[in-house]
Structures are given as structure tokens and as C-alpha cells.
Amino acid sequence: MATMFNSSLPLSSTNTTTATATGRLFLPHLQMLELLVALLVFLVIHSLRQRKRHGLPMWPFLGMLPSLVLGLRVDMYEWISQVLCRQNGTFTFKGPWFTNLNCIVTADPRNLEHLLKTRFQAYPKGPYFRHALRDLLGNGIFNADDEIWQRQRKTASIEFHSSKFRNMTTESLLELVHRRLLPVLEDSVERSTAIDLQDILLRLTFDNVCMIAFGVDPGCLSPGLPEIPFAQAFEAATEATILRFVTPTLIWKVMRHLNLGSEKKLKESIKGVDNFADEVIRTRKKEVSLQTEENKLKSDLLTIFMGLKDEQGLPFSDKFLRDICVNFILAGRDTSSVALSWFFWLLDRNPTVEERILGEICRIVKDRGDDSESENLIFRPEEVKKMDYLHAALSESLRLYPSVPVDHKEVVEDDVFPDGTILKKGTKVVYAIYAMGRMEAIWGKDCREFRPERWLRDGRFMSESAYKFTAFNGGPRLCLGKDFAYYQMKFAAASILYRYKVMVVENHPVKPKLALTMYMQNGLKVKLCKRSESELKMYHNMKY
Ligand code: HEM
């Protein structure tokens, strides 16, 4: 037993020695582990406590990126709106240390007025934005600052307000709506098929803006809805350009140098855009040199800028002419169509608003005093102007679903916002237009309701401050196409609504797409139902 016991002693002593040695070996590891856990707990608590001060948790190295990623997975615009509401309208976003994602995000009308008007010179688009868009937009109005921007703005502004230009825009729209849009819609009724209204409206405005900028009609909105190489190249070029905003600058620059991935696609699609522009410019130059009567009557932007001289008294280069036209196409190609898509979706959910719009249209038609057949009825410009309720409903739709959901600037010297936010030179400023439409502090308790009446006083449309309703930007860079866009949307909407009831296909998923313009991610699938004469008569007699 003793032997057994004794013999077990050395064994047990060996065990103890081994255990002690192992313990000694493990102890530092255990302490390390404890230390790491403690550090982690401290970091989590510290990061989450930062949420109170900054609006979002701040993680070491990653900054606020994890919250942004979560926001992207749900609904980015709603996520920004919630953070801004919590932070009283402004917060500082801190990206990971290795990126250039740091920026100040604001939805405070006082700050908007400050950066868009009062201190306009201190808040240009800035080099970050300009570099990312340079390959596609060159030195065009949308992408220019200072004198280059000012000269284009002045010339284009004079043109946009001339009666010759206004006539051209209204006539080209009338042609497109009556010869192309309505037949395509009628065809869907006859065949009883659902259509993607967003796609059709995008085609309409693309053709329209090309007629305004280049004086040519690419024919996207034609029977059979053909694929047009220029439109496809333009679409691909904008999509590839947007990717630059989510890729670290150094990486997309290397990709461009090596002609890889999205940068390769961008190069190819820009070539497609340039080929089309070069051909149009060459042909127009020939026509201008022949001085034909038809040419003298042309009032598209290309023809107008061709007749002008630069500051040295020389004609503008072909590259500059191309930049001017491409920028206008980008500015006007999808903003109105996307706004109209959200508008028709909102009408589907708010039938009383639709009824009031129809009541207004029918009263205006009744005032004509003639027996215009509803099928062939063409709204006159003075009638479109009288449609105050429709104007209010479109503004309300843009308040909730602005075509440009966020915009941005870069401050060129140290500054302080009216709300006290301190900005260092070079800071990027994002103004959250979508969030502004959903702030109780700006629009009141019913800010999330679709209520066109908020825009009316005694039945007449009353505009809001451009720093509160920022869908068209404000200050010196206010959207140049604003008046035309309202005319275009009102004319197209009234022409459709007067003829058809637009019904969104049941269970069609509607959500915004993450892009520079707020498209509907899955388009807008609708079925149209023709309105009968008796239904229209009922609206003729409606009191509202
Ligand atoms: C619902 C329709 C529209 C909306 C919501 C809208 C909105 C805007 C916004 C937010 C900007 C400022 C963009 C920025 O500077 O970053 C802008 C600028 C501009 N828009 Fe519009 N737009 C619309 C339609 C149009 C149309 C149809 C045209 C032309 C035919 C047009 C021409 C322009 C131009 C040229 C600029 C640049 C102005 C400048 O920088 O001086 N827009 N628009």
C-alpha cells in the first residue's frame, strides 16, 4: 500500500510540477485573455456611449462605418433621417481612418441657407466631386465651379428664359407626349398588359432633354421600346461613375490607370457617349455653315452655344460644346421622370388626392366652353399654368421623395454653421434633402403624410423657402430647369390622368434605389384603365 502510496508520490509530485509549469505557462495567456475581454468591453461601452454625443457609435479604426453598413442594409435614407432627427438636424460622420468618408451631414434649413446662399463662395462643389465626375462631365455646368460655372450659368439662364427656347421646349414635349407616350400607353390598354411606368417615363424625359440639349431625338420612347446605344452608353457611364464615390480614390485611380473593372466599363461607355456627341456636333456645324432657314429657327442649347464666343473671342471648342450638352442631359434626363413615378405611386395610395386633381383638370377643360373630345384633347400652356392643385401635389411628392435625395459641397476655408457646428477647411458637407422632408421641426407633426393642401392658400399654390424645400437646390445654383420641369411633369401627368386610371400592380415591391437620383429599385409596374366619358363628366361637375 505504502509502496503503492510511495510509488504514487513521485507520480503525483510530477503531476503537480507539470500542473504548476502548465499553470505558469497558461497564466500569462489567461491574463492576456482577461485583459483583452476587459479592453473589448471597455471599447464597446465607450463606442456606444459616443452615440449620445455623436449620434452613432464610434469604433476604433472603423469609425462609424459599421452603423453605415447596417443603414445600407435596411433603408439608407430613412436611417440618415433618424440619426438627423436624434441629433437635432446635424451630425458629423467619421469614416474609417484609411478612407476619405468623413463629412458633416445636415438637414437644418439655417445651415442650408448659409452654404447655398450667404457663404456661397466658400462652399463650391470642390475637387473631390469634380475629379470623380470629370471623365464623364468634363467642365460642364454641373461639374464646374467659379468662372467656368458662372459663364455657362449666365448664358444658359438667358436662353432658358427666352420665349424662343420656351416655345421649343413646350412643342417638343407636346410632340413626345401625344405622338409617342400616349400611343404606347394605349397599346398596353388594348393588350391588357402591365407596364413599367418608370421605364416609359425615363424614356420620355431622355428623348425630351436630348431635343433640348442637342436638338435631336434619340427615339427611346418608340413602339416596342427599343434599346438605343446612346441612352445605354449614358446609363452605363453614370452607373460606373457613381461607383467612384464608394471606392477609395487611390483604388479607382489605379483601376483607371490599369483599365480594370468598372473603370474599363466607364471608359468604353464614355466612348459611346462621345461618338454620339461628336456626330451631332459635326452635322450641326455643317448645317450652321450652310445657313439654312430651318437652322436659323433652331433654339437647342448646342446651336445657341455654337453661335457664341469664349472670353478670347474664339468659338467654343468641340470638347466644351460636348461637355455643355452632356451636363444638361445628366441634369434633366431622369429627375422629372423619377419624380413622376413616385407621384403616381402616391396617388394610387391616396385616391382622394387623385380625385381632386381630376376635379381641377376637368373644371379647366370645362372653362374652354368647347366640346373638345377627351381623346384628342391637348392641354394649352395657359391651362397647365392654372393647375395649382396638381402643382401642389407634385411639390408634396418631391418633398417626400426628392429626385436628388442627398447633395454635397466642400468648404474651402474654416467656417461655423448657424447651428454652431465648426467646419475645418476641406470638410465635406452632405445636405440630406430626403431627410429634410421628414423632419417634424420643419414640416410639423404630419410631416410624413402626403397632403398637397399644405402648399395651398385660398386654393392658390404658395411656394416654400428653397432652404426648407430643397428638392431643386437653392441660391445661385438653384436648378436651372425648375420651371420647365414643373411644366413637363404637369403636362405629362395631366395628359395621362385625364385618360387613364393608373393602378399599381398588387404586391409590387416599391423602394428607393441607392443612386445619385432616387429611382424606384424595381421600377413601377402598373395597369392602366381607360376613363369613360361619363366618369369625366362626373368630375366636370365636381365641387372641391
Ligand atoms: C423634378 C425635376 C428636377 C429636379 C428635382 C431637379 C433638381 C436639381 C438639383 C437638386 C440641382 C442641384 C444639383 C447640384 O448642384 O448638385 C439641379 C441642378 C440643375 N438642374 Fe435640375 N432638377 C430637375 C429637372 C431639371 C431639368 C428638366 C433640367 C433641364 C432641362 C434641369 C437642369 C438643371 C441644371 C442645368 C442644373 C445645374 C445648375 C447649376 O449648377 O448652376 N433640371 N437640379
Side-chain angles (χ1 to χ4, degrees), residues 305-488:
F305 274 90
M306 260 182 190
L308 301 174
K309 303 268 186 298
D310 66 12
E311 66 278 22
Q312 276 117 37
L314 299 168
F316 289 120
S317 68
D318 285 4
K319 166 76 173 73
F320 192 59
L321 291 171
R322 172 259 181 224
D323 288 352
I324 289 168
C325 295
V326 166
N327 276 258
F328 270 86
I329 293 174
L330 183 84
R333 95 195 160 108
D334 52 9
T335 34
S336 317
S337 38
V338 162
L340 278 172
S341 304
W342 288 105
F343 166 78
F344 278 109
W345 176 70
L346 282 165
L347 285 197
D348 185 67
R349 300 162 68 97
N350 296 273
T352 43
V353 175
E354 185 187 1
E355 279 172 14
R356 290 200 70 179
I357 294 173
L358 271 165
E360 179 180 70
I361 297 173
C362 290
R363 181 181 48 78
I364 289 171
V365 171
K366 196 176 162 194
D367 286 351
R368 280 184 172 196
D370 61 16
D371 264 347
S372 318
E373 264 185 41
S374 59
E375 200 141 315
N376 303 319
L377 184 130
I378 297 175
F379 294 108
R380 299 168 188 149
E382 62 277 15
E383 290 174 331
V384 176
K385 274 189 204 114
K386 279 191 213 154
M387 297 176 185
D388 281 271
Y389 191 82
L390 177 56
H391 201 110
L394 285 162
S395 305
E396 182 68 346
S397 172
L398 276 164
R399 180 180 73 82
L400 290 168
Y401 296 98
S403 310
V404 181
V406 288
D407 211 334
H408 112 280
K409 301 275 181 199
E410 202 167 307
V411 62
V412 291
E413 57 196 42
D414 292 358
D415 197 19
V416 182
F417 268 162
D419 72 355
T421 308
I422 295 167
L423 297 105
K424 288 267 159 243
K425 177 182 168 178
T427 305
K428 290 188 218 80
V429 180
V430 172
Y431 44 110
I433 304 174
Y434 178 93
M436 288 186 83
R438 283 144 204 271
M439 306 278 283
E440 260 186 52
I442 305 178
W443 299 98
K445 284 240 173 300
D446 63 354
C447 59
R448 283 178 177 265
E449 278 172 39
F450 178 61
R451 210 173 59 78
E453 287 72 17
R454 79 174 80 237
W455 296 85
L456 297 167
R457 302 277 177 287
D458 301 324
R460 302 304 309 270
F461 175 80
M462 296 295 286
S463 54
E464 274 292 355
S465 147
Y467 312 107
K468 182 174 160 183
F469 174 59
T470 35
F472 290 96
N473 222 29
R477 283 196 102 132
L478 176 78
C479 168
L480 206 46
K482 182 181 172 191
D483 291 346
F484 171 66
Y486 266 116
Y487 184 80
Q488 189 187 40

Side-chain angles (χ1 to χ4, degrees), residues 3 7 27 43 84 93 142 155 199 204 220 222 253 330 344 359 381 400 414 473 481 489 499 520 523:
T3 329
S7 64
L27 208 60
L43 285 177
L84 281 167
F93 181 84
F142 213 73
T155 315
D199 177 47
L204 170 81
C220 290
S222 307
K253 282 194 171 163
L330 183 84
F344 278 109
L400 290 168
D414 292 358
N473 222 29
M489 291 187 291
R499 292 168 175 83
M520 286 179 171

Side-chain angles (χ1 to χ4, degrees), residues 49 86 96 118 169-171 274 281 407 472 492 525:
R49 280 178 68 180
R86 275 206 307 270
T118 322
T169 50
T170 40
E171 274 161 30
D274 289 350
I281 294 171
D407 211 334
F472 290 96
K525 281 268 181 297

Side-chain angles (χ1 to χ4, degrees), residues 63-77:
M64 296 173 174
L65 187 70
S67 304
L68 176 68
V69 173
L70 282 178
L72 282 171
R73 288 187 56 194
V74 198
D75 179 338
M76 171 75 168
Y77 303 123

